[in-house]
Structures are given as C-alpha cells and as structure tokens.
Amino acid sequence: MAGLMAGFHYTHAIVRGVPASLAKGALRMSQAEVDLAGARREHEAYVEVLKTKVGLEVVELPADESFPDCVFVEDAAVVCGDTALITRQGAESRRGEKETMTRALKELNMKIVEMTDETATLDGGDVLFTGREFFVGLSKRTNQRGAEILADAFKDYAVSTVPVLEGLHLKSFCSMGGPGLIVIGSSEPAQKALKIMQQMSDHRYDKLTVPDDLAANTVYMNLPNKGHVLLHCTSEEYPESAKMFDKLKDYMLIPVSNMEKCKVDGALTCCSVLINKKANN
C-alpha cells in the first residue's frame, strides 16, 4: 500500500488563467451561457485551495486569448513520476496550448516526451492513473494510437483502453477517490465503463458510486501531514452526490465549486496538472 500511496503524493501543480475568450469560444457539448466573472472566481478559489489548504507549490501560467480552452491544462500533458507526456489533443484548435505547458514542465526539470505521430490523439482527461496502472478512454478526443504512445512513455505500468460512449472524456464520469478507490457516476455508460475496467485489471478496486456523473470527477491526493485529501463537488451543484463523500472517513474533504467551467465540459481534474517533484529533480 505504501508504494500505491506514493502515486498520489504531489508537491507542485500547474494551472492556467481563464481567458475572456472562454465564454464564447470554448468548445462545449451544451449551449449554456457562461458567466465569465463567475468562472474566474471559481478558478481563483480552486487555485487558492491548492496553494493554501493543500499546500502545493503552484505554477500559474497566463491565459492565452487565442486558446479559449487553455484553462483546462490536464488535457495538454500526462505526468507520472519524473516523465511528462505532451499530448496531441483531439481538438485541433487546442494543439497550440502545448507550447506553454512544455516550457513550464521543462522548468520543473521533467523528462519530456512529445507525441508527434500525426495519427495519434490523446487528451489528459481520458487518462485515469490508479497508482498501479493506466486506463485510457477511447473517446471523441482520444484514439488507440494515442493510448499506445502513452503505454510506450510509461513502460512501468499496464495500460488498458476503455470505450467512452457518452460524455467527453473518461474522467467526465470517474476519477480516483483514494488508493484502490474509483469514484464513479451512476449512469449506465459509466457503470459499463467501470465493469470493463474491473474485467481488464489484475487489481481489485473498491467503488464509490455517486448519483451524478460529473460529480464523480474529484481530485485525490495523499499528502504528508494531511493524509487523504479530496476536492469534490459542492452541495449547491450536486446535493445528493456531495453527501456521498461524507462516507470517506479520515479524509480532508474540500468542496470546490465548478458550476461555470462545467458548462464548457470542464471538471475539477481538468484545471491542474499535479506533479510530485523529488528534491533532486
């Protein structure tokens, strides 16, 4: 278990500002109107939680108006250990986001692997690292070749693919809620995906099912002096799902609002890239 816990130790987070272009220009599956000021307030609160409540060293990248989705940094890179895979994002309009992310990761002395194969697509939102293995969602944004390149970049871990039949990404309806614990939405597509993950894995995972799929996207960390930390949805957003997290005893539970960014398919994990930087890195 100790080695598994290490998969969730983090020292740094990379985040990026919310551009004004997010409100009208960000990609989205619904047509809901975004309150830009509200989205910025939410994001500032999220960053403040990472800095002060969680105690990470936060690298804040500037927003870029030419990339309306750039706040969703998770999609641009997958980091595990001291290796960072720079992805080739499924939406062509977002591929330029990688340049600023690559510079930031180089400054943190990460080993950079770039996905250059033009037949490959991969969004970080489709990558679930369990501490033991990777599950990669095959979705509108991620294909089989992208999953193969990820497997090549992180050879120490098994990589299994999971079809994402509804929703944008794999993590639109699931995330890790602890070592060996998958938080999963209650919809039929989410439950089917979980069944596939369980069948493909040599490991046994516990599950915490929440009524709302989007509420299943949480940020879990295991930190020295703090233990289990979980950022999750608020009771204003998803009252029934929010209650489910109270079952996680001995956790530091931190509700974080995501009402506005959710309108452009952004979830809590989307807004940061978490890194465990060893002292000698």
Side-chain angles (χ1 to χ4, degrees), residues 89-109:
Q89 288 175 250
E92 196 172 343
S93 63
R94 297 193 61 190
R95 288 181 190 154
E97 294 172 21
K98 71 177 186 179
E99 290 173 18
T100 303
M101 175 58 73
T102 304
R103 278 198 302 274
L105 288 163
K106 280 181 177 169
E107 282 172 19
L108 288 170
N109 296 322

Side-chain angles (χ1 to χ4, degrees), residues 74 76-87 105 110-115 122-124 126-136 146-160 273-275:
E74 173 182 57
V78 176
V79 175
C80 184
D82 60 0
T83 299
L85 174 66
I86 306 300
T87 65
L105 288 163
M110 304 302 289
K111 179 186 158 200
I112 305 291
V113 178
E114 287 215 45
M115 188 175 281
L122 182 82
D123 274 16
D126 276 316
V127 179
L128 182 69
F129 180 59
T130 72
R132 291 177 160 135
E133 62 191 314
F134 285 95
F135 292 110
V136 178
E148 287 165 6
I149 293 170
L150 180 134
D152 202 43
F154 301 110
K155 288 189 170 76
D156 290 348
Y157 297 99
V159 176
S160 304
V273 172
L274 300 175
I275 296 163

